[in-house]
Amino acid sequence: MTRRPTRVFVALGLLGITLLALNLRTAVSSFSPIAHIVGEEIPLSPIALGVIGMLPPLVFALAGIITPVLSRRLSLEAIVVASLAVMVAGFALRSLATSAWTIGLGTVIALLGMGIGNVLMPAIVKARFPKHIGPLSSFYVIVIAVSAFLPPLFAAQLAEGQGWRISLAFWGAVAACSVIPWIILWATDRNSSAIGSRSKAAAPSPARSRTAWTIVALFGVCSLGSYALFAWLPQLLVEFKGLDPIAANLQLSLYAILGVPAALIAPAIVTNGRFIRPAAIAGVLLWAGGFLVILLGPASAVTWGVAMTGLGQLLFPMSLTLIGVRAATVAGAARLSSFVQGWAYMIAATGPLIVSILQSLTGSWTPALVFLVVVTLAALPAALLVDRPNDYEAGVTAPAERKA
């Protein structure tokens, strides 16, 4: 049998990971910049906009439940192809919407495809580049960050020039193009079997693993804080600290940008293995300290508080890398990723809602910020225990390296 051109498939694997990551936040950030334009044609009440804003963590949590079922029947490549096709369908429905509920339904469908991609990423990296988990994790987390801030740069201009339907459909076209390398890999990869069939050993349950719950706590508190900030930081800074709207939006941009250096640093720390606990403790304390500075400091110190929370985002790439490192097999990484992200995003979904309820009931942002400080510090025990001996897939021997 002719040996396949390994370098070509390595390149296809890298291209596929890049394009998949580039699609994992576009549904989250492509709608809000043009919501006012859409509202001129389709009535969008504050409640409808609020529900749409709450959908990402809820649907991502749902994806954590669905993906293990798919992985028992389909290969990684097949699931990626399906997830990108679901994204395309969701964007198409949004672009053809005639009511708020069809926009919401299209958003749910697109987010479901993205959530499945989120869950699969650690397993994909482990399957195709098992000796390069750290660098590849840094890379795809940075690309995910790019997928979050690219749509706001172009969505409004495209909507004003070509119409909001074209603006939303454009990101569906990006997803459609991204499926090409995955179709090639799916069609030509001889190892493209169902993930669950690759290991003959009894599948360990992440729910019985202290390692898994530790990662859930770190991922969950980072996601909760992040979604709370994306939902409320500009308004909070305007009302609580007296910043003007432009300055408040710039603070949110600062927070988002600081996720990039965090993504560069954290995976290297995890794969090195020497400073995981100090880094996890630092991440938790940066989050809590940032919220405290915003709560207690003067307006002039807001930038420092926001910067601290931005650097605290290192818990996100750290958690994703831990999934790949702590799992011994590709199937184990897929199960662990599904479990961690399912629970973490359910935790994250409560953040914006609780902040909203506390602010509405009290008329002040102080209780909401106190809540964020307390819930962040609740993850400190997990940070202290993160480098204890791994009990997930303990004793399971990793299979031979798979060619990309």
Side-chain angles (χ1 to χ4, degrees), residues 259-401:
V260 174
L264 290 171
I265 296 169
I269 293 173
V270 172
T271 53
N272 178 273
R274 294 177 58 190
F275 303 106
I276 297 176
R277 180 165 65 173
I281 294 171
V284 171
L285 294 180
L286 281 167
W287 272 106
F291 289 134
L292 277 173
V293 170
I294 296 172
L295 173 62
L296 302 175
S300 59
V302 162
T303 298
W304 291 104
V306 172
M308 290 173 70
T309 61
L311 293 173
Q313 291 179 92
L314 67 88
L315 294 178
F316 175 64
M318 171 178 285
S319 299
L320 291 174
T321 310
L322 280 169
I323 291 170
V325 170
R326 295 296 190 242
T329 65
V330 174
R335 284 191 299 271
L336 183 57
S337 183
S338 297
F339 177 80
V340 168
Q341 296 197 48
W343 278 102
Y345 281 121
M346 280 192 280
I347 294 170
T350 67
L353 179 61
I354 293 176
V355 167
S356 175
I357 291 172
L358 290 173
Q359 198 280 333
S360 298
L361 291 177
T362 65
S364 169
W365 288 102
T366 297
L369 286 166
V370 170
F371 159 74
L372 291 171
V373 172
V374 171
V375 76
T376 300
L377 290 176
L380 192 56
L384 291 168
L385 298 172
V386 70
D387 64 347
R388 64 186 168 185
N390 177 30
D391 68 347
Y392 180 69
E393 289 196 313
V396 176
T397 302
E401 180 179 352

Side-chain angles (χ1 to χ4, degrees), residues 169-191:
F170 173 80
W171 304 105
V174 173
C177 293
S178 301
V179 79
I180 295 173
W182 288 105
I183 291 176
I184 296 173
L185 289 169
W186 181 26
T188 58
D189 195 338
R190 293 172 304 202
N191 292 317

Side-chain angles (χ1 to χ4, degrees), residues 6 27 36 54 93 102 111 144 199 218 233 251 283 368-369 378 389:
T6 303
H36 64 288
M54 288 178 58
L93 182 57
T102 50
L111 287 172
I144 289 175
S199 176
L218 297 177
L233 182 63
Q251 293 295 332
L369 286 166

